[in-house]
Amino acid sequence: MSTTEKALETVDPIASTDGRRWMPRWRLPAAWRRPLAVVGIVIVVFWVLVIIFAPLLAPYSPLAQDSPRFLPPSPEHWFGTDGVGRDVLSRVIYGARISIPIAVMLVALSLVVGATIGAIAGYFGGTVDAVLMRIVDLFFAFPAIILAMAVSAALGPSLVNAVLAIVVVSWPAYARVTRSLVIGLRDSNFIAASRLIGASSIRTLGRDIAPNILGPIAIISTLELGNAILLLSGLSYLGLGAVPPTPEWGAMVSEGSRVFYNYWVALFPGLAILSVVLAFNFIGDSLRDALDPRTSRAVSAMEL
């Protein structure tokens, strides 16, 4: 046996001895190979493609009113038409361009605001922590949907105001979680070493603490995407979000609820909301399992 073949056997005992070139084997973590994770990823990829290729996929304009009213699903109108003759399928497709990107944007805004406040409170502690956390407790004293309704009603119905209202009620959750994570790290040896060499608080938070809390924050953000879509749809359903004729899923469900016997008007946008919320929850659970070493080992042991 040649020296090369011996080396191949040392690197990979499974490699064949017939002289074929060794190829490294790469496998996804066990958490991402679970059925729910695969389903979530497939659904998200599907909606991303729908968002990108909406003009090519939609058979009609989402605002065109040139069809008969309340046509049931048929080969010509797969999802039927609504009360003014608009194609429901086209509106669901274009609604994905509104509901999903806006949900991602408001989660990003909530994350930036909440994580910044929570990191400051957890790192400095003392009076700063006490004051900031009492503000957080004040926001938690109100139910999220009630507070969002009050803010949106005060600002007026529009998508921009709905986003601001949801950010107002969403950032405290990120602040509280970030604070607890920072408190668990601020007395660590590597943080003490960073202070001893003269690193500023901003540098310590940005370079030493932030990378160590990104995992839990990413999990929360993924799970909150589903809640953001539900809140946005809920405000639009109540008339405090998207205004007609904007093809937003919550507003479409609201329109369909007034003519419930024409089930297709509300059914298909409702199913779109359901699919996206479930997909983000599946991905969030899988992300948690993948980033948590104890859970990841347990999942791997179950598959063996």
Side-chain angles (χ1 to χ4, degrees):
M1 181 183 293
S2 66
T3 304
T4 303
E5 291 174 341
K6 290 181 180 180
L8 284 174
E9 283 193 349
T10 302
V11 174
D12 186 2
I14 304 177
S16 63
T17 57
D18 58 359
R20 288 183 299 178
R21 184 179 179 181
W22 176 81
M23 295 297 292
R25 293 176 299 167
W26 180 82
R27 297 179 66 188
L28 285 171
W32 293 109
R33 287 183 272 116
R34 299 168 67 186
L36 292 182
V38 175
V39 171
I41 293 172
V42 169
I43 294 175
V44 170
V45 170
F46 168 79
W47 282 115
V48 169
L49 294 176
V50 168
I51 292 171
I52 295 173
F53 299 106
L56 301 177
L57 297 175
Y60 303 93
S61 168
L63 305 179
Q65 304 178 15
D66 51 4
S67 299
R69 300 171 62 249
F70 294 127
L71 282 179
S74 64
E76 184 179 359
H77 297 278
W78 288 6
F79 288 1
T81 61
D82 62 10
V84 292
R86 296 173 298 198
D87 183 67
V88 175
L89 172 60
S90 301
R91 291 179 63 77
V92 170
I93 291 174
Y94 274 90
R97 283 189 154 189
I98 297 175
S99 297
I100 298 177
I102 288 181
V104 173
M105 180 182 66
L106 65 87
V107 167
L109 291 174
S110 301
L111 172 61
V112 170
V113 175
T116 301
I117 293 175
I120 293 173
Y123 184 78
F124 292 101
T127 304
V128 175
D129 182 25
V131 172
L132 292 178
M133 286 302 103
R134 296 299 76 74
I135 296 175
V136 170
D137 292 339
L138 179 63
F139 281 90
F140 275 120
F142 300 93
I145 186 62
I146 301 298
L147 183 57
M149 289 170 55
V151 174
S152 184
L155 297 175
S158 72
L159 278 174
V160 175
N161 293 340
V163 169
L164 292 176
I166 296 173
V167 171
V168 167
V169 303
S170 298
W171 71 264
Y174 296 98
R176 180 167 287 181
V177 172
T178 304
R179 171 184 176 270
S180 65
L181 293 172
V182 172
I183 288 176
L185 291 173
R186 69 182 180 186
D187 296 327
S188 301
N189 292 333
F190 68 94
I191 299 299
S194 178
R195 291 171 177 168
L196 288 175
I197 64 176
S200 64
S201 299
I202 296 177
R203 182 183 179 87
T204 301
L205 284 170
R207 296 195 59 180
D208 299 324
I209 293 181
N212 289 280
I213 65 175
L214 284 179
I217 296 300
I219 295 170
I220 296 173
S221 300
T222 306
L223 294 172
E224 282 296 315
L225 281 170
N227 293 332
I229 291 178
L230 287 177
L231 280 174
L232 180 63
S233 301
L235 290 178
S236 296
Y237 180 87
L238 297 172
L240 298 173
V243 295
T246 306
E248 197 275 333
W249 289 342
M252 295 172 64
V253 173
S254 178
E255 295 173 6
S257 66
R258 294 192 289 268
V259 287
F260 199 72
Y261 46 87
N262 297 315
Y263 66 91
W264 57 88
V265 179
L267 173 64
F268 295 109
L271 290 176
I273 296 172
L274 174 65
S275 67
V276 174
V277 172
L278 286 178
F280 284 127
N281 285 338
F282 292 160
I283 293 176
D285 289 339
S286 301
L287 187 62
R288 179 193 59 198
D289 294 341
L291 295 180
D292 187 344
R294 293 171 297 180
T295 307
S296 181
R297 287 195 295 267
V299 172
S300 300
M302 290 174 62
E303 291 196 350
L304 293 177

